[in-house]
């Protein structure tokens, strides 16, 4: 974080520098009361502590819905970003490609099971 602060200073980015300092001091002072710990979070995207809390919150919100789904698969597809005006066509293209991938594996599974 200290190196990022230096870079923000060099690049003349005072807001970013302040955000990096906030992350540097994230949870630096912790107060205990009634058997619980309290502290100030920076809530920045690049803070590993705040990201872990955000991730836990997201898991808790989505898990009940995801647990109802059958035949779960986790995939990550990465693509190069595009310009804003290309976004709609880009998403349409991605959906088409994704459909092809799903159909390919559906067909492959059916062939393996002799259903073709
Ligand atoms: Zn934080």
């Amino acid at each position: 974080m200290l190196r990022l602060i230096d870079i923000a200073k060099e690049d003349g980015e005072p807001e970013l520098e302040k955000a990096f300092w906030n992350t540097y001091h994230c949870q630096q002072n912790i107060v205990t009361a009634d058997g619980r710990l309290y502290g100030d979070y920076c809530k920045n995207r690049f803070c590993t502590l705040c990201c872990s809390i955000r991730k836990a919150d997201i898991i808790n919100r989505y898990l009940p819905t995801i647990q109802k789904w059958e035949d779960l698969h986790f995939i990550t597809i990465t693509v190069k970003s595009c310009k804003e005006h290309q976004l709609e066509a880009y998403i349409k293209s991605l959906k088409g490609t994704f459909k092809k991938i799903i159909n390919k594996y559906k067909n492959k599974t059916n062939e393996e099971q002799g259903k073709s």
Side-chain angles (χ1 to χ4, degrees):
M1 200 50 59
L2 292 174
R3 182 66 188 119
L4 289 172
I5 290 166
D6 288 343
I7 292 169
K9 267 186 205 169
E10 288 167 18
D11 290 351
E13 298 276 359
E15 286 180 26
L16 200 52
E17 184 186 336
K18 189 178 176 207
F20 289 146
W21 274 118
N22 286 340
T23 297
Y24 182 78
H25 294 291
C26 185
Q27 286 293 292
Q28 195 170 47
N29 297 316
I30 296 173
V31 177
T32 58
D34 297 326
R36 298 191 68 169
L37 300 173
Y38 300 92
D40 291 323
Y41 295 101
C42 70
K43 297 178 181 170
N44 284 319
R45 287 179 302 168
F46 40 79
C47 177
T48 52
L49 176 63
C50 291
C51 274
S52 66
I53 293 167
R54 196 171 14 254
K55 184 166 56 179
D57 175 56
I58 290 169
I59 288 169
N60 286 332
R61 280 188 288 136
Y62 288 108
L63 192 61
T65 302
I66 292 171
Q67 283 176 326
K68 292 176 189 167
W69 295 351
E70 293 175 23
D71 195 26
L72 286 176
H73 299 274
F74 178 80
I75 58 167
T76 302
I77 299 173
T78 59
V79 291
K80 208 172 173 181
S81 62
C82 67
K83 302 283 182 201
E84 187 181 349
H85 70 276
Q86 299 167 314
L87 191 59
E88 195 174 329
Y90 208 65
I91 289 172
K92 194 175 176 182
S93 167
L94 288 175
K95 281 182 175 178
T97 304
F98 192 63
K99 218 175 215 173
K100 280 182 192 170
I101 293 169
I102 289 171
N103 286 336
K104 180 182 174 185
Y105 285 96
K106 264 187 190 170
N107 292 340
K108 193 175 177 184
T109 304
N110 286 340
E111 286 171 17
E112 286 171 1
Q113 294 173 349
K115 293 179 183 174
S116 63

